[in-house]
Amino acid sequence: MLGRDSRLTPSRLLAAMVLLIFAPSLSSPAAAEKTAESERRTLDCSADPCAALLPGASAFRPSERGDHWEGLDARGEIVGWLALSTDFVDVKAYSGKPMLTLVGLDTEGLITGARVLEHSEPILLVGIPEKALTDFVEFYTAKPALSRFVVGRTLEDNAFSVDAISGATVTALSQNITIVETARTLGAEVGVFSVAEVRPGHFIHEETPWTFAQMLEGELLQRLTVSEKAMGISESQEAYVDLYFGIADPSHIGRAVLGERNYDHHIGKLAEGEYLLVVFNTAPGSFKGSAFVRGGIFDRIRVLQGLREITFRDTDYDNLPDIAADDAPEINEGALFVLRGGRFDPGEPYDLVFLGSRYDKRGAFSREFRQFSATQQLPDSVYHVEANSDEEPWRQAWKSRTADILLLTTFLGLVVLVFVFRRHSMSNPDSAKRLHVASLFVAFGLVGLYLRAPVSVTQIFTLQESALGEWRWSLFLSDPLIFILWLFITGVSLVWGRGVFCGWVCPYGSFNRLCYSVGRRLGLPVFRVPPRIHRQLTRLRYVILFTLCILFFWNSILAERMAEIEPFKSTFLVSAWTRSPAFIAWWLVLFAASFLVYRPFCRYICPLGGGLTILGSHRISPPRRRAFCESCKVCSRDCLPGAIRPDGTIDTLECLSCMNCEATYRSRDLCPPLIGLDQLAEKSSLTAAEEAKRDRLLIEARDI
Ligand code: SF4
Ligand code: SF4
């Protein structure tokens, strides 16, 4: 047990933990390089398993854009496309890194298959078999890419329900988005889908046309100015082109720029997935260029949006001689372009690119081309992106587990009520014990076996990594039950100590505690660790915690593997027959020991318990004690963790909040000094010695 003079004080533990978490120099450069390496990986169908994912294709060739490959049949016709997820989407999985996935799509818009080529998901690397992931991605084969896919149970008629990977929900949610979004974006790029199908939205129109000043202020017109100096024409900073541009589909913008009749005419001609882009220039130069006159191609101007590049021909163009808004400036030239092909997404930012040819003075015909660009993003008040069928993974997770969330929060709420109203809940020692046992059963059955939500030290790794790198709330929110449990743990640990979780809610801790009770009922002997060894052993859990946390920076996979010292995964998440003999043996050792020793894993080994001890080491409201507890010591007989010191005070680090001592403290039938006081009070007359004893007890009955 840790005495007051112990070298391992809560403050020192806290300081060490903070030091550990904010030791950025520990991050591994090798790991960073490895990530960058895999993120740079390009598709090569001569080496990658393209044939397996695109049945019917006998040959493959890279697309002109280079970000996907085409699959061709024996006649040389395209039967589908293949792409690497990292070329199209940026979805980070549980590890904080993307899962490199090869996805196939056919000409009908069906996903022809998906295969994970690389990943750093720890939960899959340790314990959960790779087959679970293979089975998960297999589900998407032959499903329409535009369908709605929900991970977990769903009552929606028109959605596919994909079974989550037990114990790897975040991985499954991320992989769902990775496959679906890659297929859809690939489909939009090759023309199987329009962007509007992939990412629907709508314009918000206003009755009254806006003024020019309003459009500028609201950033519905953007400006791109290129000086004569930048063009290499002269040293003057005068504008060569001073371009204003914007999307003219919203009626209050289109009418303000084109005028009412002109706007109605053009907007009426647009097909599905087409948009109007206005560009006009108030400076003497030209954005239309001479190639337009000669060949009908606008070579000086184009639109870039993500990987998509949109160029214009004369068939997409109409002249715009002036601007309708009264306060608009005189223009030198103007154009109304139609963004065709379903490749433009009004909900995403885009660049208008002006290609300027700069005379470099090396010769009459020697020219150097320079690009100038400006970005526009339509505000949500003008273009609203509809809630995508594939909302963020964490939202899906919360929706699909509503019933589980309710069950868990009800249980946690009841435990909190027990502690908030402990004056009443602990007033009767027998009913307090029954309440505690009931909680142990619910924790083991509901939180562990049914909800399969054991909190683990691996989540401390995630917290540590997020604190030092990219903080992603979405990652924490992706597993609602674990998120709620951590909120609960933080709150109760600060107020009442970690014992509220460890003693009442932790499914494995409860299982251990119940095993110990079964051992007593079976009449098995109790093995008590000698005090000196016990004191040393209690430090072990901090050593394990700190070692794992440091190891995580150097080798996250190894740390996750070592974190299997927690038997939680073997108990609640993974079928025993899929585990290696070493895991099973370790589990059996702990299981057997818990019948003979009171919660051996919790008291000596659990790194999570070590972390929570530090969190709750300065709890605000420990179990109540009185001054006479020091001499009485009855409570210590019922304190199975041995957390009551010889002087009657409680060792916060070892207390598991069973509340036996507080029930005794409140009991006028069990607490000897209180019984003594009552007996003295019942006497009609007291001797001087009795009076002195009563006075002493009354003083010592005050809380300490
Ligand atoms: S010490 Fe670990 S296993 Fe034991 S109750 Fe606490 S968290 Fe659970
Ligand atoms: S009996 Fe021991 S473990 Fe239980 S609340 Fe009291 S000090 Fe903590």
Side-chain angles (χ1 to χ4, degrees), residues 68-129:
H68 65 270
W69 282 55
E70 296 165 347
L72 310 167
D73 64 12
R75 290 171 299 160
E77 290 187 3
I78 293 179
V79 292
W81 302 267
L82 294 128
L84 288 182
S85 57
T86 43
D87 284 329
F88 285 86
V89 294
D90 181 21
V91 181
K92 293 192 174 66
Y94 183 85
S95 60
K97 297 166 196 161
M99 298 176 75
L100 184 73
T101 309
L102 177 61
V103 179
L105 184 78
D106 72 8
T107 51
E108 301 292 315
L110 297 178
I111 297 171
T112 54
R115 185 167 301 177
V116 179
L117 301 184
E118 281 176 30
H119 70 80
S120 307
E121 295 298 273
I123 193 120
L124 290 162
L125 293 167
V126 183
I128 295 179

Side-chain angles (χ1 to χ4, degrees), residues 455 498 501-503 506-510 512 541 566-568 599 601-603 606-610 612 656:
V455 177
R498 65 118 172 185
F501 174 74
C502 287
C506 173
Y508 187 77
S510 302
N512 252 219
R541 59 182 192 246
E566 294 177 335
F568 308 161
R599 298 178 73 160
F601 178 76
C602 301
R603 291 160 74 204
C606 181
L608 173 66
L612 302 189
L656 287 175

Side-chain angles (χ1 to χ4, degrees), residues 320-343:
L320 181 65
D322 50 30
I323 306 302
D326 291 341
D327 58 339
E330 283 292 314
I331 66 169
N332 176 39
E333 59 177 353
L336 175 67
F337 295 113
V338 179
L339 295 154
R340 296 193 199 279
R343 301 179 63 224

Side-chain angles (χ1 to χ4, degrees), residues 259-314:
E260 189 151 343
R261 272 188 50 201
N262 208 9
Y263 170 77
D264 290 345
H265 169 71
H266 286 289
I267 205 85
K269 286 202 304 184
L270 290 183
E272 178 78 26
E274 292 182 345
Y275 304 95
L276 295 175
L277 173 76
V278 285
V279 185
F280 49 91
N281 175 23
T282 58
S286 173
F287 68 83
K288 293 182 183 174
S290 52
F292 152 64
V293 180
R294 287 198 304 272
I297 295 169
F298 290 83
D299 63 344
R300 290 194 177 179
I301 198 146
R302 64 188 195 279
V303 162
L304 279 184
Q305 189 171 49
L307 291 168
R308 296 184 295 276
E309 179 179 308
I310 302 170
T311 52
F312 302 107
R313 298 187 60 84
D314 51 0

